[in-house]
Amino acid sequence: MAKERRQEEEAWRWRGGILGIAILSRLLILALTLLFRHLASPYDSSALIDPPCLVSSTSQEPAGIADRVQDPGRRTWGRRIGAAIEGSIVWDGVYYVRIAKCGYEYEQSHAFLPVLPLTMRFMTNYVLFGMIPLIGHRATLAFSGYLINNLSFLGAAFYFHRLSCYILRDRKLATSATLLFCFNPASVFYFSIYSESMFSLLSFAGLWCLLLGAKWRATLLFGLSGAVRSNGVLNAGFLLFQAMHEAHNYFFFLNKPLMTGRVIYFAVLQVLGSILPFVSFQGYGYYQLCWTSNDDELVVCRPWCNSSIPYLYGFVQNHYWNVGFLNYFHWKQLPNFSLASPMLLLATCAIVSYAKRRPLVFFSLGLARQSGSWREAALLSLLDRYRPVLDNQGAQARSVNMPNVVPAEPIG
């Protein structure tokens, strides 16, 4: 009991240290942002663009606040702080703040998925309500975005460290990986009003639930990640990967075809659940933009609506930003590829190194793994499920190459 208590206290000290490192990285980014804004004018001047909402009823500003915000008697310091916060709304932040304030007014707005702006709106209207008369509604929305994203980053760093400890079985190595995550070259995007922080939190938390066997909770988190960033739908691959291994073991090792069918059935439901939020948002856009009422008849009004699969997100990305398969590969983008080359090289080296060290696991997707190598295949939650089988049928398990080594409980 005393040993377990000491281990738990040590784990909490490590977690507190990780949160401290994450907070330090946010403070560093804030200081650098303020410094460079003082030394140079922002390249993006879109922060000042704030026309009235297209339809006044779509504005999500709380009732009764507008008059108080426009009160000339507001404190000068409040107006200055509000102006400074609004001046920092650039790039994607302009869209997120606009959507949180006015809803999805324009077709191109649908490239920005709804969870982050909805969370910003909720926090502004119900948590930071008292700030609106002081600094203004738009500034409060932006402040909510900064607060949400940086708190999400702290949570993402926390879960990243837990995942690293669980898989690597080495706290020091996991801490080094978390340091690289906290101080990575793209860290400014995790600080600003972007979707990266919330997406990372939901993805890492979903993976943590998946590794612990809480698949439906992981499905929920993966689904929310797909409503934050479109590539969140790829998280369904983790569910498929684990289900593939589980079905493989039930069918070939345990000779239980009914359980194999059950695994496949629930895997299909979980995958559908994880992509449902993103698909639902596409349906919302189709309903909003494709059909208009004209003398009680429905009339198609946008070209993408006539496609066999009316995919709004892909159309918007390609039409407005030229984002598509290989569209980025132009000579003029060579400087950007040069900036990205260190990370691309590091990722490539890591994949090649893993393939050389674990060729059997890598090239067979873990299906031809050696005994006791499930940790490398990241199927940790299945170990406890098969523990009774391994205990009772150890000889048979070894004969069919099932894992016969169960690692210790996760660290951290």
Side-chain angles (χ1 to χ4, degrees), residues 1-17:
M1 180 67 70
K3 181 179 179 181
E4 292 179 357
R5 187 180 301 125
R6 285 196 302 270
Q7 290 178 344
E8 184 65 21
E9 291 176 354
E10 183 181 359
W12 277 108
R13 284 197 298 271
W14 279 84
R15 295 168 191 170

Side-chain angles (χ1 to χ4, degrees), residues 1 14 56 58 65 88 91 93 113 117 125 136 154 178 180 193 195 207 231 260 308 314 344 361 374 391 406:
M1 180 67 70
W14 279 84
S56 59
T58 64
I65 284 297
S88 69
W91 305 112
L113 300 179
N125 293 353
L154 299 183
T178 307
L180 292 174
I193 307 177
S195 57
L207 281 172
N231 49 0
T260 303
S308 55
L344 292 174
V361 173
W374 276 24
D391 290 342
V406 179

Side-chain angles (χ1 to χ4, degrees), residues 79-291:
R79 290 197 299 270
R80 290 179 177 175
I81 293 176
I85 294 175
E86 289 194 50
S88 69
I89 305 173
V90 293
W91 305 112
D92 289 5
V94 176
Y95 284 93
Y96 283 117
V97 173
R98 180 75 181 184
I99 293 167
K101 180 180 179 182
C102 302
Y104 285 90
E105 305 169 290
Y106 309 100
E107 186 177 60
Q108 62 266 35
S109 299
H110 290 77
F112 303 90
L113 300 179
V115 169
L116 177 56
L118 286 176
T119 309
M120 291 166 57
R121 181 190 302 171
F122 176 84
M123 179 165 282
T124 297
N125 293 353
Y126 298 101
V127 180
L128 303 178
F129 184 86
M131 293 181 61
I132 299 177
L134 300 176
I135 65 176
H137 185 226
R138 187 167 182 255
T140 306
L141 285 170
F143 182 79
S144 298
Y146 284 116
L147 185 61
I148 291 167
N149 285 339
N150 284 278
L151 289 177
S152 296
F153 181 85
L154 299 183
F158 175 79
Y159 277 106
F160 182 86
H161 185 258
R162 298 198 78 178
L163 285 168
S164 301
C165 287
Y166 200 108
I167 295 173
L168 299 174
R169 310 299 293 175
D170 187 329
R171 279 203 181 104
K172 292 183 178 179
L173 186 58
T175 301
S176 298
T178 307
L179 280 170
L180 292 174
F181 173 72
C182 291
F183 295 95
N184 72 83
S187 191
V188 66
F189 296 106
Y190 291 86
F191 175 83
S192 305
I193 307 177
Y194 275 67
S195 57
E196 276 79 355
S197 289
M198 183 175 283
F199 174 75
S200 297
L201 171 60
L202 293 171
S203 298
F204 294 155
L207 281 172
W208 176 252
C209 292
L210 184 64
L211 294 182
L212 296 183
K215 289 188 176 182
W216 288 108
R217 197 182 309 167
T219 299
L220 174 62
L221 293 170
F222 288 159
L224 289 174
S225 74
V228 174
R229 291 181 64 86
S230 61
N231 49 0
V233 299
L234 298 178
N235 284 329
F238 293 110
L239 295 165
L240 285 174
F241 181 77
Q242 196 173 86
M244 175 184 70
H245 278 264
E246 193 170 1
H248 178 267
N249 281 281
Y250 272 125
F251 189 80
F252 290 102
F253 295 155
L254 305 181
N255 194 24
K256 294 184 177 181
L258 291 180
M259 289 301 297
T260 303
R262 183 176 183 272
V263 167
I264 295 174
Y265 171 73
F266 280 107
V268 171
L269 291 181
Q270 288 157 358
V271 168
L272 291 176
S274 66
I275 66 176
L276 180 62
F278 178 78
V279 175
S280 299
F281 182 67
Q282 302 311 299
Y284 164 76
Y286 184 85
Y287 173 79
Q288 183 187 35
L289 300 173
C290 287
W291 301 100

Side-chain angles (χ1 to χ4, degrees), residues 37 40-46 90-91:
R37 286 186 67 87
S41 299
Y43 174 77
D44 182 9
S45 60
S46 57
V90 293
W91 305 112

Side-chain angles (χ1 to χ4, degrees), residues 241 244-245 346-370 373-379:
F241 181 77
M244 175 184 70
H245 278 264
L346 180 62
T348 302
C349 291
I351 294 172
V352 172
S353 176
Y354 183 81
K356 288 181 177 181
R357 290 174 62 86
R358 299 287 189 271
L360 190 64
V361 173
F362 182 84
F363 291 105
S364 69
L365 298 179
L367 293 175
R369 63 193 173 275
Q370 295 177 344
S373 66
W374 276 24
R375 177 165 300 281
E376 286 79 1
L379 295 171

